[in-house]
Amino acid sequence: MQKEAKSNSRATAEGTRNFAGRFPAAARGHFREAQGLTLSSIGIGTYLGNWDEATDENYKTAIVKYVNSGGNVIDTAANYRFQRSERNIGAALETLFKEGFKREEIFVASKGGYLPFDGEPPSDVRQYFEENFVKKGIAGFDDLVGGSHCMTPAYLASQIDQSLENMRLETLDLFYIHNPESQLGSIDKYTFEARLAKAFEKLEDARAAGKINFYGVATWNGFRVPPEDPAYHSLERFANIARQVGGEANGFRFIQLPYNLAMPEAYLLKNQAVQGKVYAPVEAAEKLGITVMCSASILQGKLAHSIPFHIREILGSPTTDAMTSIQFVRSTPGVTTALVGMSRALHVEENMRLAQTEPVAAGDFALLFERQ
């Protein structure tokens, strides 16, 4: 049974509801209910950027401005900018708490799977892994797939502890296994599922210890390729494995996958079977009670320009192409949060104007695909 974390150590139903109440000018639909929490339709991502102090300072400022603009979903990973992004989040949260925001108002997600390194790329990756993981008994060289990916129970546990330390937190609201499909190029499906079951079991232990609240998988290809693709993931199978190791009250409640105007598979590709019927990933997730977070909303800036006029018009004619791309993702039925990399306050100021704009109604959104 999951141990109750301290009330101020993670996002809570009351806390996130109170956060939404701080922004009475927010448009209807900007805040959504998911897993008993109130989450903003736009989340801040922290993937891109140099590993230098100038970028560190820009991220700290951007995160503070984002929360003050009505956003309460912060997404990161241990390997983003060699742990610097997590540490920037920790510093930004400290500032926000001094400003009067509370921990239980803000939803923080991180990921583990890839080697994180520390501050900058090591000169010798093998030596880094040996010193930090092999000698400490956390993982062996046989556990490392493709020279960079590991999802053994002990490794994931170490990544959770590292993320908590980096961000100065007691509990992560959400911990993802990062791109588990990376394993499938080296092992068969049966071995993969056995590894996944062990990983989920360890994540259930982390829930019981109060170190994480929910867990999930953050993928790139896994949920948006056909079933015959070697990298394919069955969401129903993942949910069943979680149920086997954690019971009906298991913590597998979130997935993340890329979705945008150029990569619409999450909404259009019917590749997920649930109880004998086939659905697109976002539909399947809804059937299984799993929340969908979408990465790459503007495809690392590639969708911040040259959006066709008719698409902008259907999406309510947002001021900029970047806002149009975000509006597309946050308006998609079944999507809870559009994650957007925002490393500068100017990015936040532009994109968070959408907090005052309603998502497009489902009927209007469907027009986008009628004109294809």
Side-chain angles (χ1 to χ4, degrees), residues 12-24 31 38 72 101-102 104-105:
T12 64
E14 181 180 8
T16 54
R17 187 168 57 247
N18 289 342
F19 179 86
R22 291 177 181 267
F23 301 93
F31 290 106
T38 304
N72 71 337
F101 289 96
K102 297 179 180 179
E104 56 262 39
E105 296 180 273

Side-chain angles (χ1 to χ4, degrees), residues 48-60 80-85 88 119-121 343-344:
L48 295 177
N50 294 328
W51 52 93
D52 55 36
E53 292 184 4
T55 307
D56 291 341
E57 291 303 317
N58 285 337
Y59 261 119
K60 293 174 197 175
Y80 287 179
R81 300 177 52 250
F82 313 114
Q83 300 185 57
R84 298 176 82 120
S85 286
N88 299 159
E120 61 184 10
S343 61
R344 293 178 180 272

Side-chain angles (χ1 to χ4, degrees), residues 115 117 122-135 140-142 144 147:
L115 293 183
F117 305 134
S123 57
D124 187 327
V125 173
R126 182 181 177 86
Q127 182 182 3
Y128 170 86
F129 184 70
E130 184 171 8
E131 291 293 329
N132 289 277
F133 299 99
V134 178
K135 288 184 178 179
F141 285 107
D142 291 343
L144 199 60

Side-chain angles (χ1 to χ4, degrees), residues 43-323:
I44 187 168
T46 57
Y47 172 46
L48 295 177
N50 294 328
W51 52 93
D52 55 36
E53 292 184 4
T55 307
D56 291 341
E57 291 303 317
N58 285 337
Y59 261 119
K60 293 174 197 175
T61 303
I63 293 163
V64 170
K65 187 170 185 63
Y66 163 77
V67 173
N68 275 283
S69 301
N72 71 337
V73 177
I74 300 174
D75 183 84
T76 192
N79 66 303
Y80 287 179
R81 300 177 52 250
F82 313 114
Q83 300 185 57
R84 298 176 82 120
S85 286
E86 286 192 332
R87 292 164 184 163
N88 299 159
I89 291 168
L93 289 173
E94 187 173 276
T95 297
L96 288 162
F97 297 155
K98 289 177 181 177
E99 291 180 356
F101 289 96
K102 297 179 180 179
R103 171 66 183 97
E104 56 262 39
E105 296 180 273
I106 300 171
F107 185 89
V108 181
S110 193
K111 315 175 189 74
Y114 289 110
L115 293 183
F117 305 134
D118 193 350
E120 61 184 10
S123 57
D124 187 327
V125 173
R126 182 181 177 86
Q127 182 182 3
Y128 170 86
F129 184 70
E130 184 171 8
E131 291 293 329
N132 289 277
F133 299 99
V134 178
K135 288 184 178 179
K136 295 178 181 179
I138 295 172
F141 285 107
D142 291 343
D143 299 321
L144 199 60
V145 174
S148 64
H149 195 275
C150 185
M151 52 182 268
T152 63
Y155 181 82
L156 294 177
S158 76
Q159 296 303 281
I160 290 171
D161 288 342
Q162 176 182 276
S163 294
L164 291 172
E165 181 179 354
N166 283 341
M167 292 187 281
R168 313 172 200 178
L169 298 176
E170 295 178 354
T171 304
L172 294 174
D173 298 299
L174 171 60
F175 180 80
Y176 296 106
I177 300 176
H178 201 176
N179 288 6
E181 65 265 40
S182 298
Q183 301 265 323
L184 287 170
S186 302
I187 59 176
D188 60 61
K189 290 272 188 180
Y190 299 103
T191 303
F192 172 78
E193 289 196 353
R195 289 186 179 184
L196 190 70
K198 290 181 179 179
F200 282 4
E201 188 172 10
K202 177 58 73 172
L203 296 178
E204 289 291 343
D205 289 344
R207 293 183 72 221
K211 292 184 177 183
I212 66 174
N213 192 22
F214 298 108
Y215 62 90
V217 290
T219 66
W220 187 255
N221 291 322
F223 292 126
R224 62 181 194 89
V225 294
E228 62 270 18
D229 191 291
Y232 174 79
H233 290 327
S234 164
L235 183 54
E236 183 180 48
R237 184 62 186 145
F238 277 34
N240 287 340
I241 291 170
R243 192 176 299 112
Q244 288 165 14
V245 302
E248 292 298 327
N250 69 82
F252 179 66
R253 302 296 167 182
F254 287 82
I255 61 169
Q256 185 182 126
L257 73 168
Y259 172 69
N260 52 58
L261 283 162
M263 301 165 68
E265 298 90 349
Y267 182 67
L268 294 181
L269 180 62
K270 294 188 180 298
N271 66 345
Q272 295 290 328
V274 179
Q275 295 183 347
K277 295 184 179 180
V278 181
Y279 303 95
V282 292
E283 295 176 297
E286 185 175 7
K287 298 289 182 185
L288 294 165
I290 294 169
T291 298
V292 177
M293 302 288 198
C294 289
S295 60
S297 296
I298 59 175
L299 197 55
Q300 299 177 7
K302 295 176 182 177
L303 295 174
H305 52 79
S306 305
I307 303 299
F309 176 76
H310 79 274
I311 291 178
R312 290 187 66 170
E313 189 176 31
I314 291 172
L315 291 170
S317 300
T319 307
T320 68
D321 284 340
M323 292 171 67

